[in-house]
């Protein structure tokens, strides 16, 4: 990596990058201990119900898997590739897996915590409420997919290809969108296509969140739910 990419790097610059990586690893290990040690204590004291024990075990396993996935991702950037002329980089597939796993872990932990802290609303199961719930789940999946596409942008440095918006250069649809063969490879390995997809998914996510907010205004909802939908719209616009 030093010979082919950063041969002019000073010792101070190397230390800065090294400490960033070291801090990330140490922080991950602290997060794991902060989760696993109290979970073991609560389990031993008998404070966990049977369903909660299953969830705690699953989350503990996901914490360990996340660390393993991080090592597997970094390993891909250190492998010698004599037949490749590309700059050394981690695999965009492993980067997306690492990010996706982190999002699942964070969301599951937050959901579990809120389920214990806040009582579940008992609302009448109307057709409108069912549609709102389905639409919220669909919007969640779209946002998750958008975040994963961002990992492919980062992994391929695809953000450096075009820096204009909403057009990409002088065109709405760039010429090299489907330059790779087979066509499916473009979605994951063509920097232009990866950036294009991320833009489309981002716009679609903001549109979906806005539609979810407008639809929720037509339904009588508890204050807490209304605050959540409004906060979601605010964060989407900020993002």
């Amino acid at each position: 990596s030093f010979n082919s990419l950063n041969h002019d790097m000073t010792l101070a610059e190397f230390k800065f990058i090294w400490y960033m990586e070291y801090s990330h690893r140490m922080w991950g290990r602290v997060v794991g201990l902060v989760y696993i040690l109290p979970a073991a204590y609560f389990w031993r004291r008998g404070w966990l119900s049977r369903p909660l024990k299953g969830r705690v075990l699953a989350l503990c396993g996901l914490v360990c898997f996340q660390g393993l996935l991080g090592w597997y991702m970094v390993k891909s950037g250190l492998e010698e590739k004599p037949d490749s002329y590309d700059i050394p980089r981690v695999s965009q597939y492993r980067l997306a897996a690492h990010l996706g796993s982190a999002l699942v872990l964070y969301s599951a932990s937050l959901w579990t915590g809120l389920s214990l802290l806040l009582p579940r609303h008992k609302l009448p199961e109307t057709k409108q409420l069912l549609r709102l719930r389905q639409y919220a789940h669909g919007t969640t999946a779209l946002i998750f997919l958008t975040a994963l596409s961002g990992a492919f942008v980062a992994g391929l440095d695809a953000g450096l290809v075009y820096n204009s918006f909403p057009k990409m250069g002088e065109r709405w649809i760039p010429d090299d969108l489907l330059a790779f063969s087979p066509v499916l490879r473009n979605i994951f390995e063509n920097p232009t296509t990866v950036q294009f997809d991320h833009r489309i998914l981002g716009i679609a996510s903001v549109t979906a969140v806005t539609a979810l907010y407008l639809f929720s205004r037509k339904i009588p909802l508890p204050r807490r739910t209304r605050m959540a939908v409004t906060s979601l719209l605010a964060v989407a616009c900020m993002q």
Side-chain angles (χ1 to χ4, degrees):
S1 177
F2 180 79
N3 292 329
S4 58
L5 181 59
N6 294 312
H7 50 270
D8 57 344
M9 179 182 284
T10 64
L11 182 60
E13 289 171 335
F14 172 77
K15 283 183 175 180
F16 176 74
I17 291 176
W18 190 90
Y19 278 117
M20 282 184 67
E21 172 66 18
Y22 181 75
S23 300
H24 179 70
R25 291 185 182 204
M26 290 302 107
W27 186 257
R29 288 166 184 170
V30 167
V31 168
L33 289 173
V34 165
Y35 184 84
I36 292 170
L37 292 179
Y41 176 76
F42 296 148
W43 189 300
R44 188 173 178 81
R45 299 280 293 189
W47 294 349
L48 304 179
S49 63
R50 188 167 181 177
L52 196 55
K53 283 181 179 179
R55 189 175 292 191
V56 163
L57 278 178
L59 288 172
C60 280
L62 196 53
V63 167
C64 297
F65 176 71
Q66 176 67 5
L68 185 66
L69 205 51
W71 166 82
Y72 185 60
M73 178 193 74
V74 171
K75 183 175 177 288
S76 68
L78 300 174
E79 292 169 353
E80 290 289 340
K81 299 169 186 172
D83 299 329
S84 175
Y85 296 98
D86 196 8
I87 62 171
R89 65 170 88 243
V90 298
S91 163
Q92 67 271 29
Y93 297 100
R94 298 184 194 183
L95 177 60
H98 190 49
L99 176 65
S101 176
L103 288 172
V104 170
L105 175 60
Y106 177 78
S107 301
S109 300
L110 182 65
W111 186 274
T112 301
L114 291 177
S115 299
L116 295 170
L117 290 171
L118 303 173
R120 186 183 178 89
H121 285 305
K122 294 180 180 178
L123 302 174
E125 291 290 329
T126 62
K127 187 179 286 186
Q128 276 189 319
L129 187 64
L130 184 63
R131 279 180 60 198
L132 180 69
R133 188 178 289 126
Q134 290 172 340
Y135 193 77
H137 289 160
T139 304
T140 302
L142 181 60
I143 293 169
F144 182 74
L145 189 62
T146 304
L148 286 192
S149 75
F152 280 90
V153 172
L156 290 169
D157 286 332
L160 304 177
V161 181
Y162 291 96
N163 63 357
S164 55
F165 185 87
K167 288 185 177 181
M168 298 179 76
E170 297 298 319
R171 303 176 66 89
W172 289 101
I173 300 176
D175 293 329
D176 54 340
L177 192 68
L178 300 175
F180 290 16
S181 181
V183 174
L184 194 62
R185 241 186 89 204
N186 289 279
I187 298 173
F188 305 106
E189 297 180 15
N190 184 341
T192 298
T193 314
V194 166
Q195 193 194 123
F196 181 80
D197 290 345
H198 186 61
R199 289 177 178 217
I200 298 299
L201 286 167
I203 294 166
S205 292
V206 173
T207 305
V209 170
T210 305
L212 179 69
Y213 171 78
L214 294 174
F215 182 48
S216 73
R217 300 292 293 176
K218 299 177 181 179
I219 306 172
L221 294 170
R223 181 172 174 271
R224 197 172 77 207
T225 309
R226 200 165 293 287
M227 279 178 61
V229 178
T230 306
S231 300
L232 180 63
L233 178 63
V235 172
C237 292
M238 193 186 305
Q239 175 70 0

